[in-house]
Amino acid sequence: MIVAGAAVAGAAVAFGLWSALRPVFTSPVLLRRNWRDREVPTAAGIVLVLAVVAVEAARVVIDGRLRVDGGGVRLAIVITVVGLGLLGTLDDVLGDASSRGFRGHLGALREGRLTTGLVKLAGGAAVAVIAGAVLHPSAGRGQLLADGALVALAANLGNLLDRAPGRTIKASVVAFGVLALAASASELAAVAVVVGAGVGLVVPDVRERLMLGDAGANTLGGALGVGAVAACTPTARAVVLVVLIAFNLAAELVSFSRVIEAVPPLRAADRWGRPPA
């Protein structure tokens, strides 16, 4: 019930904020061409960040404190959401598509160009390490780095999935459902606010009225990574880390969109709610 209430609160606040802020996102600096060559506002994932901050602020007023979950999950979520949201917005607004993926950003660096994507990756790693330290302050350096890598790679995977309307939000809901099977309500309530906020934006996302952008996709993935670090045993976290490494490496070699289109159940789920081509 706690998790469901947190998710509903996140969804309601995110939907309300998008409804109020939608005219702001018509600014030319935020408009990008989507896969149909339509102009759609990008970086709308910052609404998700604002929703999480608003909900957590309300909870602070009600509870009188922030660090109430075991291991400081709420504090770690706020740090992750705000940090990744800021870095993602930077890349959404100022970045370009000439360099993609780890290889693309590193190749640009070898040419003497520092891309916003590389700033986001490095900054995201720093945010992830801080979040891991908040969750497990007594962990050794090796475990701390492993937990930080888990959060950072989860955030990047969220971004890698964001190649079609609604895809990252749908995948986040499924991942949260799997995580909920292995965690307590107190550990996942803060994560539920983030995923719920994503659900609050799913209709305009699949209807192509907004793009989450890196601001939203990285945030959703990172929040789920925080949830895994908070809720799973070290052994389980090691397994999750290996899986995330595999997915991130696979993205450098294959197109997730092509794989999804080739598998009928995945294709149907991916197209759910989307206008016909």
Side-chain angles (χ1 to χ4, degrees), residues 7-63:
V8 170
V13 174
F15 182 78
L17 283 172
W18 169 248
S19 299
L21 292 173
R22 187 174 179 179
V24 176
F25 283 87
T26 60
S27 170
V29 73
L30 293 175
L31 296 178
R32 297 290 185 274
R33 295 281 179 181
N34 72 353
W35 68 297
R36 296 181 197 266
D37 201 34
R38 295 176 180 171
E39 283 195 332
V40 179
T42 190
I46 198 66
V47 173
L48 184 155
V49 177
L50 295 174
V52 172
V53 171
V55 171
E56 288 301 340
R59 292 180 70 186
V60 167
V61 172
I62 294 170
D63 297 337

Side-chain angles (χ1 to χ4, degrees), residues 248-265:
N248 276 268
L249 290 176
E252 298 289 325
L253 304 173
V254 299
S255 166
F256 286 168
S257 292
R258 289 184 180 179
V259 173
I260 290 170
E261 284 295 312
V263 181

Side-chain angles (χ1 to χ4, degrees), residues 91-117:
D91 199 26
D92 287 333
V93 176
L94 300 179
D96 61 65
S98 61
S99 301
R100 289 184 178 276
F102 294 113
R103 289 184 297 180
H105 295 306
L106 291 176
L109 186 63
R110 285 194 295 270
E111 297 171 359
R113 293 186 296 111
L114 179 62
T115 64
T116 56

Side-chain angles (χ1 to χ4, degrees), residues 33 56 68 75 84 96 102 104 106 140 165 172 199 221 237 267-268:
R33 295 281 179 181
E56 288 301 340
V68 296
L75 182 57
L84 295 180
D96 61 65
F102 294 113
L106 291 176
S172 297
V199 172
R237 299 204 300 271
R267 181 172 66 242

Side-chain angles (χ1 to χ4, degrees), residues 72-251:
V73 183
R74 284 172 60 187
L75 182 57
I77 283 291
V78 171
I79 291 170
T80 301
V81 166
V82 172
L84 295 180
L86 173 63
L87 292 164
T89 301
L90 173 71
D91 199 26
D92 287 333
V93 176
L94 300 179
D96 61 65
S98 61
S99 301
R100 289 184 178 276
F102 294 113
R103 289 184 297 180
H105 295 306
L106 291 176
L109 186 63
R110 285 194 295 270
E111 297 171 359
R113 293 186 296 111
L114 179 62
T115 64
T116 56
L118 187 58
V119 171
K120 182 190 68 174
L121 290 171
V127 169
V129 169
I130 294 170
V134 170
L135 291 169
H136 300 292
S138 60
R141 187 176 289 109
Q143 186 64 63
L144 177 62
L145 292 175
D147 289 341
L150 190 157
V151 175
L153 289 171
N156 195 57
L157 181 58
N159 187 40
L160 292 172
L161 289 170
D162 190 32
R163 297 292 182 268
R167 181 179 295 169
T168 295
I169 296 175
K170 294 172 186 176
S172 297
V173 172
V174 173
F176 182 76
V178 173
L179 188 59
L181 297 176
S184 68
S186 64
E187 291 171 327
L188 285 187
V191 184
V193 175
V194 187
V195 177
V199 172
L201 299 179
V202 71
V203 172
D205 191 3
V206 297
R207 302 303 294 179
E208 301 178 26
R209 298 174 191 143
L210 62 79
M211 295 181 191
L212 282 183
D214 294 3
N218 284 132
T219 297
L220 280 169
L224 288 164
V226 168
V229 171
C232 298
T233 64
T235 301
R237 299 204 300 271
V239 173
V240 174
L241 179 58
V242 170
V243 171
L244 287 171
I245 290 172
F247 273 107
N248 276 268
L249 290 176

